[in-house]
Amino acid sequence: MIKKTITPGHNFGSEAKPVAMLVQLASRFKSSIYIESEDAKVNAKSIMGMMTLALKSGNAITVIAEGDDEHTALQGIENYLCEAAG
């Protein structure tokens, strides 16, 4: 298991498209991927869970990956969160 604190570069809020793209990206990996924000921890492969987080730029989150491709998964999620522009 690996984890990393990341600050998203975009306000995902309740916007469905960027959240759906994040879920789609997470679903490509075999590893389990979770995102923690404040007191919530959700499965990054769950659209409903991710929508509840309302990720905002400037608010740090923790990405947790566990599995065979955890390093690649974490890097992919980090790249998307930091570069996503909508």
Side-chain angles (χ1 to χ4, degrees):
M1 177 180 73
I2 59 172
K3 58 180 161 179
K4 185 171 186 176
T5 301
I6 299 170
T7 303
H10 174 69
N11 285 331
F12 288 81
S14 60
E15 295 179 50
K17 184 177 178 179
V19 173
M21 290 176 66
L22 176 59
V23 170
Q24 187 177 46
L25 172 64
S27 296
R28 293 180 190 161
F29 299 103
K30 292 180 183 178
S31 294
S32 297
I33 304 168
Y34 293 92
I35 296 183
E36 289 181 333
S37 177
E38 297 176 4
D39 294 332
K41 178 179 178 180
V42 300
N43 183 341
K45 297 179 183 182
S46 166
I47 188 73
M48 295 305 289
M50 290 302 301
M51 292 295 286
T52 64
L53 286 183
L55 302 178
K56 297 178 182 172
S57 66
N59 291 354
I61 60 169
T62 301
V63 179
I64 303 162
E66 183 173 10
D68 293 339
D69 58 355
E70 61 189 25
H71 292 282
T72 306
L74 186 79
Q75 187 63 54
I77 299 296
E78 179 180 18
N79 289 346
Y80 180 75
L81 289 172
C82 293
E83 298 172 6

